[in-house]
Amino acid sequence: MKALVFHGPGQTSWQDVPDPSIKEAADAIVRVDAVTICGTDLHIIKGDVPDVTPGRILGHEAVGTVVETGGDVRTVRPGDRVLISCISACGRCRFCREARYGQCRGGGGWVLGHTIDGTQAEYVRVPFADLSVHPLPHTLASHEAVLLADIFPTSYEVGVLNGNVRPGDTVVVVGAGPIGLAAIATAGLYSPFRTIAVDLAASRLAAARALGADATVSAGEEPDRLVEDLTEGLGADVVIEAVGVPEAFELCTRMVRPGGRVANIGVHGKPATLHLEDLWIKDVTLTTGLVDTYSTPMLLRMTAAGRLPGAALVTHRFEMDQMEEAYDVFSRAAATGALKVVLGGPQHDTVAVPVPPEEQ
């Protein structure tokens, strides 16, 4: 099969690799029908995630069709169309029993495209399939469903829930890329008083307004002053960091009010300064986190019902063999206007109803 292989910082190729096979009884082999690229993949290629070794197939988000299952798999079978979660869960360890699947110590957690081969391929082996894939309704298009593999549960759990967004809050989202935009959309489920988006790219600020941001500001135009003005000097109730660079994190800590919450989502490859000389007296709550994906079934239902704007985040579509071109477009988002790029993804506009054998 073909797959996108990491060969070290700055080096990848779309190349022939061996087909995956069942290794454990809880595995499933899934034919990848639609896949997307994550900002974390760009961090890997930059060398920010040293656990990813040369030779690894990248990718941790996909929609596909089950083609084979191990003997212990009970919830899906060959032919089922499924969402592949970015997080795998053994279901038995302490953290899985607490629904903290991202911290799984039984062989799961974030493994796809990280410590085992990932989804940017024609086929992928998914461990712990019963807890790591989700059957999809035929009415939900693949290019929309694939956004539920990572960015929506990540933004919702690590940003909105960790930040404890509440009705009437002023929420600032620093970074209006796909994760930040999904945070704006899911924060809207809790009726904040005002949502403010911060980014350098005008196209992303426009997307933020379309998804519900009440105010936008360029990161180069003193956004902390704007937040101060809009909150009468108080600061934001919740600030969500969705970039992953020190300057963005430090900006977040300047914009939060006393007693407020800073929720870090961004993947950081460099140290950031925690200004405790300013923060120690402010009763600020700071959270970090890797997504657990316990919210995925609920978010799938919301998306299928039209309550979440998944398709609005997809700006570019490619065929699977255009993986390198898709990476180029996604990595130059400021110039290309890319939000989410999706490869593959046939439409599923009709519902297939099986005919009972006695009626055939």
Side-chain angles (χ1 to χ4, degrees):
M1 70 172 183
K2 293 284 189 180
L4 196 282
V5 180
F6 174 70
H7 293 292
Q11 302 176 60
T12 61
S13 64
W14 178 251
Q15 64 183 67
D16 289 315
V17 298
D19 292 348
S21 59
I22 297 290
K23 294 183 179 181
E24 303 289 344
D27 290 349
I29 304 299
V30 180
R31 185 192 72 211
V32 176
D33 297 329
V35 66
T36 185
I37 301 169
C38 180
T40 304
D41 297 321
L42 299 184
H43 281 281
I44 291 170
I45 294 171
K46 285 171 59 181
D48 290 344
V49 188
D51 289 343
V52 181
T53 55
R56 178 69 61 229
I57 297 172
L58 297 184
H60 50 268
E61 308 163 80
V63 166
T65 303
V66 177
V67 296
E68 185 180 359
T69 58
D72 288 349
V73 177
R74 296 289 181 267
T75 61
V76 293
R77 60 184 180 180
D80 286 349
R81 181 167 166 262
V82 295
L83 171 71
I84 300 172
S85 175
C86 65
I87 298 296
S88 302
C90 78
R92 298 183 298 272
C93 71
R94 169 185 172 173
F95 291 110
C96 284
R97 288 178 179 273
E98 296 173 357
R100 299 178 67 90
Y101 306 122
Q103 303 301 323
C104 175
R105 292 297 183 268
W110 172 36
V111 293
L112 290 170
H114 182 204
T115 57
I116 68 172
D117 287 335
T119 59
Q120 290 169 7
E122 294 178 319
Y123 293 86
V124 61
R125 179 181 72 91
V126 182
F128 308 115
D130 279 336
L131 289 172
S132 305
V133 301
H134 302 270
L136 289 174
H138 287 276
T139 51
L140 188 58
S142 295
H143 74 279
E144 186 171 17
V146 74
L147 303 189
L148 278 298
D150 185 352
I151 68 164
F152 271 102
T154 294
S155 298
Y156 179 64
E157 295 174 15
V158 185
V160 174
L161 294 186
N162 279 3
N164 194 21
V165 174
R166 295 176 293 205
D169 278 350
T170 291
V171 178
V172 179
V173 178
V174 177
I179 288 287
L181 293 172
I184 291 168
T186 51
L189 300 174
Y190 291 86
S191 302
F193 171 66
R194 180 188 290 116
T195 302
I196 304 165
V198 180
D199 201 279
L200 285 169
S203 61
R204 292 191 166 189
L205 293 176
R209 288 191 292 271
L211 287 171
D214 301 291
T216 60
V217 59
S218 170
E221 295 180 353
E222 298 185 305
D224 45 344
R225 294 288 298 273
L226 174 67
V227 171
E228 184 178 9
D229 290 343
L230 291 177
T231 61
E232 299 180 347
L234 186 64
D237 300 288
V238 182
V239 187
I240 296 173
E241 199 281 345
V243 182
V245 298
E247 297 81 4
F249 174 80
E250 292 165 27
L251 173 63
C252 290
T253 63
R254 293 198 302 272
M255 293 190 293
V256 68
R257 67 164 172 82
R261 289 88 69 194
V262 175
N264 183 88
I265 305 176
V267 178
H268 289 264
K270 297 179 180 179
T273 301
L274 182 62
H275 288 283
L276 286 176
E277 74 277 13
D278 298 322
L279 295 173
W280 74 271
I281 200 170
K282 293 180 66 176
D283 297 339
V284 169
T285 298
L286 169 64
T287 61
T288 65
L290 176 66
V291 65
D292 295 308
T293 67
Y294 62 82
S295 67
T296 300
M298 180 274 290
L299 294 171
L300 273 171
R301 292 194 299 272
M302 296 288 283
T303 303
R307 302 295 180 87
L308 288 175
L313 274 69
V314 178
T315 54
H316 295 73
R317 302 281 298 276
F318 297 90
E319 297 300 322
M320 286 288 288
D321 60 4
Q322 295 177 292
M323 185 69 70
E324 291 170 311
E325 180 183 348
Y327 259 93
D328 177 65
V329 168
F330 185 64
S331 66
R332 297 185 299 108
T336 63
L339 295 176
K340 287 299 282 185
V341 302
V342 175
L343 297 96
Q347 298 289 331
H348 292 263
D349 296 326
T350 59
V351 178
V353 180
V355 178
E358 63 272 15
E359 297 181 14
Q360 294 181 351

